[in-house]
Each structure stands twice: as C-alpha cells, then as structure tokens.
Amino acid sequence: MPEIKLFVDTKADIQNKVLISTSNAEKLGITGQAQAEIVNPDNDKKIQTTVEASEQVLDFAGKFAKNVLDQLAFSGVELIVRSLGGQSSAQPSPAETQPQKAPQTPQRKAPPPRPQQPPSSMPKPQGIPQPTPPKPPRTPGAPSTPPQQMPSPPKQHIPGQGQPSQVPQPSGPGGMQAAQPEEIDPYPNRIDPSRLRDQKDGIILKPVVSSNVEGGRVHLSGNVLQQLGLGHGMLIGWEDPLTRSEGSARITQAQINDNEIRMSKDTKEDTFIKADNIVVYSTEPPIKKASEISLEVQSQPEMMGYCLVSPRTQHTLSLNKDDVVAFEDELTAATGAAKVDISEDVDDNVIIIDSEILEASGIGSFEVKVSKNQRKILPLQSVSLGISPITGENMWELISTARENAQALKDWLSNYIIFKGIKLRWKSVNLACSIVDCVPDLTGDILAQITENTTLNLSPQGLVPFNAILIIDISRSMMARDVFVTNIAPAIEGIKAAMESREIQEFLKKFKDGVNIPRRISAAFAAVLFLSEKVGRGFGEKVSVIRFADEAQILPFGNSYYMDSASGKKGVLEDAARMIVDRIGNAYGQATNMGDAMLKARSVLNEFENMNPDQPTMIVLLTDGMPTDGNKFFEEIQKFSGNPNVVIYILGLGNPEDELMERAAKLCGGEYFKPDDAGELLVWYSKRARDLTVKMKAHK
C-alpha cells in the first residue's frame, strides 16, 4: 500500500480528518476523500480516519485534526499516511443534486370557468397553482445553467394517511452548490524546512517556550552545540520557514532534548515564530581548535587568582571553568598560571589576568602565549609563608590576625595556582606573603595548589622579638643514657668561646663524639645553647626556665624568675648556664607532673604580658614520658590554645606519648619534634631561639 511521511500541522476546526495536498492524494490514489491509516512512527500507534485532498495544503505537510493527534499520543515531528485502497468521491451523486418529483395530486373536478386573462409569457404550473419562488442571485463568474422543471406541489394531507415526504430543495440554480471565494495563503513566502536547513547549513529544531530562559538567550543541548560547532555563550541565529522571520541570541548549554530549542515567550513573539519547527544555524565563524594562541594582555585587580577569556577562546582551547591556563611572555620568558573563567564581555583577542598574578609572574609584554595546562596540579603537603605587612611595621599583630583567621587565609590562598617565585598580597587584611619553602618543592615549571590538607607555616619576614619559657622534664627516666653524641662540634665551640667558667668547661667535656649521654645532660646543654642564642640577638628578650618531676619549680635568675638577655651585666649568661647545669644536669625526681609545669608556665606568661601585652611568647617543653597527673596537662594546653600570642613547641626524647604531644603542639601553633641524636637536638633548640614560626595544621 502506498504511504507518505508528512510534517504535522495541527488544525483545530476539523474532527476525525486529515487534509493533504492534491499531489500527495494522487500518490495515495485518493481523488476526493477516503479512509486511510495514520501511523505514529515514534510509538507505532495506528488509527483509521478520513483523508481529504485540499489545494490549501503544502506537499511537505498535512493538517491533522487535534483529536487524531491525541489518539496517536503524538509529540514528535512527522506522521505516516498510508492508503487503504478504497475511496469515496467528494462530489455529490446525481441523485443528491437532482430534485425529486412530488407525488401526483389526486384528480378533482375542474372548477367553473373563469374570465379569460391576457396572455402571459410565464408558463402555467401544473396542478395546484403555487407562487413562483424568487430566483437566487447569480454568483459572479459562475456559468449560467438551463432552467429546471419546477417540482410538483406537495400532496395535500388526507386525514388517516401518513405525512407526505418533504422534497429536498436545491441549494442554488440547477441544484448546484455556490462556488466559494479562493482562500488567501497567510504565509506566501513559506519554504520547505528541509530546503531552508540546507541553505543555512543548520538543523531543524522545535521551539519550546520556557519560563526558565531569560530574555536574549536560548537553551540548547550539548549534542546540538557540538553539531553546530558552537559553545556556551556564543551566538546562534534561526529562521521560521513559514513567516521567514529571523532571530538571534546567546546560547546557554542546558540538559534538554536534542530536538528542542528553548526560549522565553517574549523571544518567540518578538521574532514572529509561527511554525512548529524552525531552522537553527551558527552566526559565528568556524572554531579552529588549537593547543595555544596569542592574546592581548589586560590586568584587573581583585580577581582572586583568576583570569577571564571569551567563549570563543574557551572553545578554541577546549577549556572549562576552573581549568588552569599557563601564559608565557615570549620576550622575557616569564611565565605564570591562573584558573580560568569565561566572560561574554571579553573580546576574542584578549585575556584579562589578575593583577597580583601578572605582577608576581614578571610578565611585561602586551601579548602572551596562552595554553591549557596539561600537567597535574600538585597538592602541597606544607607551605612556609614569609609574612609581612603591606604597610606599617606591626609584624606580630599581622601573624596573630592570620592565625585567628586561619581558614579564611587558606581559602584565599587556595584560589591561586602556586608557581615558583609567586608573591601575593591580601590587601583587605594588609598581608603580603611569599613562598619561602614548600613540600614538594617547586622546581622548573611545576604548578601546585594549597588544599584543605595543606599545613601552613607563618614566618615573619623580619625580626620579631619574643620571650621564651623553657620547661624541662627531670623525672628519673631522664637519667637514661641513650642520646648519641654526633655533629655537635659547632655548638661546643660556640659555648666555649662565650663562657670561660671551669664548671661549664667541665660540663662540655662530657660530650664526646660517638658516645651516648644521659637525656637530662643533653637537655641542660640545649637550654644553655638557647640562652646563648638569645643573648646574641640582643633584643632584650626574656627567658624563664621551669623544671618538673614530683613538682614544678621556676628556676631563679638572681632575684628574678627570668633572664633578661639584654641586661648588660657581666657574667649574666655564665651564671644562668651554671645554674641550669646544676639544677637540671645534676637533679632528678620520680613523677612527671606535666600539668603542674604548664600551670607554672601560665603564671610566668601572665607576668610577661603585664610587662608587654603585644610581645609574643614561645613555650618549649622537653619530656621523655607521659603526664602522671591525669588530664591536667591537656586542660592547661587548651587554655593556652586560645591565646594568639603563644606558640608551644614540644620535643620528645625516649618514649613519650607521641599522639598526645602531637595534638598539644598543633593546638598551640607549634610542632612536636623527636631528634635522632644530640646534634639534631641542639640544632633544633638553636633555631627555635631565633625563629618564631606559627604552624597552622590542616586538621586540629
């Protein structure tokens, strides 16, 4: 059976009928109207209905009654019309057009003769005289028809007989239908959608109005964008094959059907879309994919480590938002990197770079070579930041502020791609920072990023005076002889040169290379070295020493509880060293009352803060065991953790409770360290005397 596939045009004023063009009717063998089978190819539903030929229908489409479409559950674009072979003519049969003769009237006696009337040109009707019906007006242009015989008058009703049948009246002269005026096509410039698609090199889509689409934009699926060679933010155009009206808009990529283009109601009305399907095409020059392109450089402040490119650049380099791009100054070989964002306001030949990144990279040219970064961005394990104020000199206040806002600092830094030599400024908090060191290190063109798991170490860029409290364990276990002497010659020579007393010289003789010494002896040496470094700095820093075992004691420095490193009195350092050697190197107890020692340290801290509230204090705890006074130690640690002017470092010898010590140091911005030998112990203490670094761990 012959069949044709047609685009669907809904016609609301017909029922159970389909109108097709006369040429399509000929293909199906239909000359007037006939029953045919309508098939929905999307769901294979079929119905039979009347199909009628019409000169007002185009060859590529059919006009379908709405109830026919509902029965087929139609929601697509095309339907199939299939001939069933039988047909019925649309012309009325002769029996329908020829008026029936009225039945003969029964014969009656003729009436008496009447006077003769003048002759008339009108013939007399047969039977009972009837008035002549008015002649219907002649339709202009209609051919004249010969006069028809007047029908006989209807039979009179005789009681007891049935009602006589009514004679059908002709609807026009000669019983023919009056001709209707020809219908005017409202879309005289219409074009076949397939032909228009080929002309525009586009695709056919169904326009769908959606309240989720803002004016001036349309939504398209990713597959459609790929087919058109376009991307989010670029421009498309469309044309209606009925009205031939055109429109254009920016694209928003969305999760929609591949056969749809979604738009606002205003967009559809303003561009006069009437067809069920329109042709959509690209208005942009073809995109040529590239691995790198040259772009003009513009800078913009407060971009939080980002750069901006146009949608065309995005698709040329195959970029997505938050991808990383690298840029290189071909004149100076300076390089940099940044996360990318897409802006429709950026010219296609321009890249806008955060001014901080541009300055840090050293790029000075007006044009850079831009490429998508193909290397993995390394997550940094730890970063040492050199901190300084952008303006002013209050270094420690800045460190304290950063410490109190550790998460905000990390969030700010995580916006930036970290590369070798980068320097950044957080202007809202007056903070400038540079990468002093990091793990892993940045060599060559390695790019890295600060994450939630990165440990930040804040080191002042410049001298920051700070007081210190040294807390030393002298419990019985500290007499264990297991600290190996190695790599301490520089420390011994430094102490010998600074102190000439016999007691100190004899003390130093115990440190022979390659032997093990008691833990308490190595602790005493570390404390003496720390005092020596503080005196050498000459900033007037104060150092207090607390020993603890069964109880905690603050060691006296003359009549004071601390040593003033800038007192200027002769022999102050040697007196302090002899006291430490005697009270620590030659003493021991039984218990490890660590909580009591921290309580004593808090009383010393209060005195330091009374003298200078803004000066920071470092507390250094050396121990080889675990607290024997319950939770008192950690309770005191928690009190210290709320003070931004305190940093606590802990050094472990032997077998202390590592997990507890690690946790305590992290809470207070310091670190927990276990040296392998006496050399590492002394180097660590020497560095602590000179360097107040705040460590902000990823997880507390």
Side-chain angles (χ1 to χ4, degrees), residues 210 253 273 283 311 328 340 389 419 433 440 447 491 572 601 635:
S210 172
Q253 183 172 337
I273 294 176
T283 63
E328 179 182 357
V340 70
F419 51 88
C433 67
L447 300 178
V572 168
E635 289 172 358

Side-chain angles (χ1 to χ4, degrees), residues 357-434:
I357 295 291
L358 200 60
E359 183 176 335
S361 64
I363 291 175
S365 298
F366 294 106
E367 189 174 84
V368 292
K369 185 170 63 177
V370 181
S371 61
K372 181 179 180 179
N373 176 63
Q374 301 296 337
R375 300 186 60 174
K376 182 174 177 59
I377 306 297
L378 298 179
L380 291 174
Q381 177 182 335
S382 64
V383 177
S384 294
L385 297 175
I387 302 296
S388 61
I390 298 174
T391 59
E393 298 180 354
N394 198 333
M395 185 82 69
W396 183 252
E397 181 181 353
L398 187 63
I399 296 286
S400 297
T401 300
R403 185 177 175 185
E404 290 177 310
N405 298 277
Q407 189 58 50
L409 174 62
K410 185 172 288 188
D411 291 343
W412 172 68
L413 289 169
S414 65
N415 289 311
Y416 293 87
I417 299 301
I418 306 300
F419 51 88
K420 187 176 181 180
I422 188 172
K423 297 179 181 179
L424 300 171
R425 290 176 296 183
W426 193 2
K427 294 182 180 179
S428 61
V429 295
N430 194 38
L431 182 148
C433 67
S434 59

Side-chain angles (χ1 to χ4, degrees), residues 178-235:
Q180 297 296 323
E182 184 177 353
E183 184 179 349
I184 298 175
D185 187 353
Y187 308 116
N189 295 323
R190 70 174 72 204
I191 186 174
D192 183 272
S194 299
R195 181 181 174 192
L196 181 61
R197 176 195 60 200
D198 295 340
Q199 290 178 357
K200 295 289 188 178
D201 192 21
I203 57 177
I204 297 174
L205 297 177
K206 180 180 181 180
V208 176
V209 172
S210 172
S211 59
N212 295 326
V213 183
E214 58 184 287
R217 303 193 76 89
V218 293
H219 287 187
L220 293 173
S221 71
N223 290 335
V224 169
L225 292 182
Q226 186 175 7
Q227 187 175 349
L228 291 172
L230 296 173
H232 180 93
M234 299 182 73
L235 285 168

Side-chain angles (χ1 to χ4, degrees), residues 8-18 47 49 63-74 79:
V8 173
D9 184 8
T10 305
K11 190 168 177 61
D13 58 350
I14 60 175
Q15 291 285 325
N16 301 315
K17 185 180 288 188
V18 176
I47 65 168
T49 191
K63 295 187 177 182
F64 293 75
K66 186 176 185 303
N67 67 323
V68 171
L69 299 179
D70 292 341
Q71 293 176 58
L72 291 168
F74 176 75
L79 289 175

